[in-house]
Amino acid sequence: MMSAMASRDFPLSDLPEISTARSAPADATFVGVAVGPSGAVPRAVGLARRDLERQGFTGKVGQVLVVPSRGRAVAAVGVGDRPDAGDLRDAAAACVRAAGRHSEVALDLVAAGSRSTADAQAVTEGAVLAAYRYPGLGEPGDRGRVSRVVIVGEGRGVDTGVRRGVATARAAVLARDLANTPPTYLNAPDIADLAAELGEQYGFGVEVFGPRELAEMGCGGLLGVNRGSVVEPRLVKLTWQPRTPRGHVALVGKGVMYDSGGISLKPSDAFHVVMKMDMSGAAAVLSTMTALSDLRCRTAVTGWLVCTDNMPSGSAMKLGDVLTMRNGRTVEVHNTDAEGRLILADGLSLAVEEAPDAVIDIATLTGAAMAALGTDIAAVLGTDDALVERLRGAADATGEPVWQMPLERGRYRRLLDSNVADMRNIGGPYAGCITAAIFLSEFVGDTPWAHLDIAGPMKVDADESWRSRGATGFGTRLLIDTVTNW
Ligand code: BES
Ligand code: MN
Ligand code: ZN
């Protein structure tokens, strides 16, 4: 067990200040008010339906019409017909983006009623996540961003929802910061040090394993991928242990701090630059752990961050090399750029050894998942339908969409056959997302398991609803929702 506390030399974001009030405070210079496509327009907007329509405002989700009035701007914020939490998250995000340089914003979007907790949570998430901008490593300067948000609403439900929304959005912001951080500022030892700090702060246990321990543990996948790097690998085990847990879930995150491809070197195109985000899975797992105490999570959660660079060098693993993984399986390396599955093999093996009720891994694993589902939707595959169903439910609740792909081991396992080892690390030219998942399934035994391939949604190129340019933090809120509602 290694331990280290280091001072960070990369920035992490501050959240805007969030509070609740029964009405928009006088010092808010920008007030967003929910307006649907029909029915009465709230008086605060100051315009009649007919005037709004003349300006092209129909009340659709995402529309914002700013109405300058004395001393402050009031905005009609489209929420659509009978808005659900997802609509309100999008509406809040649109409103915060429209607020531009106003620093004090009030959001009057939550209707009274039974859904007010989930609605207030969604509004809070939309506001915080849309206000996000990666602090970056340049001059701090004037961020010109919303710095105070008041959620207007009444009752305990609203306060609870806002409190939950702050916890989930704060976690997602952390995941974004980590994925946006340049790779040399955040390497495997750095993220392990940060995990130790966060564990102290948020009340979860942290154990860190370095190269010597990993060799003793037989983690041939992680060590094999790390061989080309001058920076040591780290395996980080995180534990959240409530007094009387209902269930135990293990989360395993791919932490490739930088993926050059290794000997199977990637080209120097724009894709290559975002490979600093190849640790987005590990970032989602670590960030999830930071939300559990605020949310009083009653489920025991074990997080595994499997962290290394994937680099080419004279010591790098070679094509044709055979690695022996933690569970004893041997793997012939046919492409060193299929490194995520090699390190996850060890993480999954260790996770199932503790016999949790379920294991979920999250990884920026394949370009094939992005080719199939685009940049908005993650692929989910698994050995347990009920678990996949849970993840789909969480995806609906959090607005982080997933789509199930077939695991089809019967048909496609043979694509991984090797002449010299139990399997090779790549399949054929097709079904790359599926063959990657089939590879992982060799390491989970009988434990119910699901795999999230987030290569597509790990980043966005332009601001869109609650997703701000850069790393999205995708999967963080999905995992939080899954484990807290277990
Ligand atoms: N980290 C990449 C996958 C990726 C691609 C993530 C694009 C985000 C955006 C992964 O390690 C990788 O290189 N996968 C290869 C696998 C192939 C060699 C079988 C891929 O998808 O091309
Ligand atoms: Mn790769
Ligand atoms: Zn990778």
Side-chain angles (χ1 to χ4, degrees):
M1 162 122 175
M2 314 199 5
S3 74
M5 278 280 211
S7 56
R8 268 183 279 118
D9 59 357
F10 56 90
L12 293 178
S13 298
D14 296 321
L15 282 206
E17 195 188 304
I18 311 287
S19 56
T20 55
R22 297 169 76 109
S23 61
D27 52 356
T29 60
F30 191 100
V31 182
V33 180
V35 179
S38 58
V41 176
R43 240 170 31 132
V45 174
L47 290 180
R49 167 86 43 197
R50 153 170 47 81
D51 302 315
L52 292 175
E53 281 172 357
R54 232 178 258 150
Q55 309 280 329
F57 180 90
T58 62
K60 264 201 322 208
V61 177
Q63 279 187 335
V64 180
L65 179 71
V66 182
V67 183
S69 69
R70 222 178 322 145
R72 61 158 55 156
V74 176
V77 179
V79 293
D81 228 352
R82 300 216 222 156
D84 62 14
D87 296 326
L88 293 179
R89 189 182 298 108
D90 288 336
C95 183
V96 163
R97 295 202 186 283
R101 299 186 66 83
H102 287 267
S103 65
E104 314 245 326
V105 172
L107 298 176
D108 190 352
L109 304 179
V110 181
S114 57
R115 291 196 316 246
S116 66
T117 303
D119 288 355
Q121 177 176 347
V123 167
T124 306
E125 291 170 345
V128 173
L129 294 174
Y132 178 83
R133 177 113 299 157
Y134 178 54
L137 297 150
E139 293 288 318
D142 171 19
R143 286 177 19 102
R145 289 255 124 194
V146 171
S147 58
R148 210 160 79 80
V149 179
V150 180
I151 312 289
V152 178
E154 280 187 44
R156 279 240 317 267
V158 173
D159 291 333
T160 304
V162 170
R163 193 172 45 72
R164 289 185 188 161
V166 168
T168 59
R170 186 189 30 66
V173 161
L174 172 64
R176 288 178 178 183
D177 281 346
L178 297 179
N180 282 325
T181 301
T184 301
Y185 285 79
L186 184 70
N187 60 27
D190 296 329
I191 199 172
D193 291 347
L194 177 66
E197 250 179 71
L198 293 170
E200 297 263 311
Q201 194 176 341
Y202 294 107
F204 55 88
V206 180
E207 266 178 275
V208 178
F209 305 91
R212 259 194 306 136
E213 293 94 339
L214 291 167
E216 277 164 25
M217 292 155 75
C219 291
L222 178 53
L223 289 170
V225 172
N226 181 253
R227 245 158 50 196
S229 179
V230 296
V231 181
E232 291 184 355
R234 292 288 186 270
L235 175 79
V236 186
K237 181 183 181 185
L238 313 169
T239 44
W240 170 254
Q241 189 58 51
R243 228 188 298 276
T244 48
R246 341 178 242 245
H248 175 203
V249 181
L251 306 175
V252 182
K254 171 179 173 182
V256 172
M257 310 311 291
Y258 178 68
D259 182 10
S260 74
I263 292 300
S264 312
L265 191 63
K266 288 180 187 290
S268 301
D269 54 19
F271 245 41
H272 208 163
V273 175
V274 299
M275 282 305 134
K276 67 176 182 182
M277 299 183 188
D278 210 18
M279 32 56 72
S280 297
V285 171
L286 175 56
S287 302
T288 294
M289 301 301 294
T290 68
L292 301 182
S293 72
D294 283 356
L295 296 173
R296 303 194 186 96
C297 177
R298 300 275 311 274
T299 315
V301 182
T302 308
W304 300 87
L305 316 180
V306 197
C307 303
T308 178
D309 290 324
N310 182 26
M311 295 295 281
S313 81
S315 60
M317 65 178 175
K318 307 169 181 96
L319 307 194
D321 267 345
V322 171
L323 307 175
T324 303
M325 311 316 225
R326 164 74 185 184
N327 76 347
R329 293 285 156 96
T330 54
V331 176
E332 183 185 11
V333 177
H334 276 240
N335 189 321
T336 63
D337 200 9
E339 83 296 343
R341 63 199 74 182
L342 298 174
I343 69 172
L344 288 173
D346 290 331
L348 288 168
S349 301
L350 288 163
V352 299
E353 282 172 29
E354 301 193 327
D357 299 322
V359 179
I360 303 164
D361 77 75
I362 179 164
T364 48
L365 204 64
T366 67
M370 176 157 44
L373 298 174
T375 56
D376 285 8
I377 305 169
V380 60
L381 303 93
T383 52
D384 187 271
D385 288 339
L387 179 58
V388 170
E389 208 40 57
R390 274 182 194 272
L391 290 172
R392 284 158 61 162
D396 280 346
T398 57
E400 297 190 325
V402 301
W403 193 263
Q404 186 176 13
M405 306 258 245
L407 195 60
E408 288 289 354
R409 286 189 283 191
R411 289 178 199 280
Y412 291 156
R413 170 62 179 81
R414 65 185 165 78
L415 298 175
L416 298 170
D417 285 349
S418 160
N419 295 331
V420 299
D422 293 327
M423 61 188 142
R424 37 191 262 175
N425 76 328
I426 55 169
Y430 310 123
C433 173
I434 296 172
T435 52
I438 292 173
F439 180 96
L440 298 180
S441 75
E442 297 281 326
F443 300 91
V444 298
D446 297 327
T447 303
W449 161 76
H451 158 62
L452 293 164
D453 190 332
I454 58 165
M458 78 175 186
K459 69 157 179 76
V460 286
D461 294 329
D463 294 344
E464 195 262 321
S465 180
W466 53 267
R467 288 166 287 268
S468 297
R469 189 174 74 220
T472 56
F474 188 103
T476 307
R477 290 185 300 106
L478 174 72
L479 290 177
I480 293 171
D481 190 82
T482 302
V483 300
T484 53
N485 293 316
W486 193 255

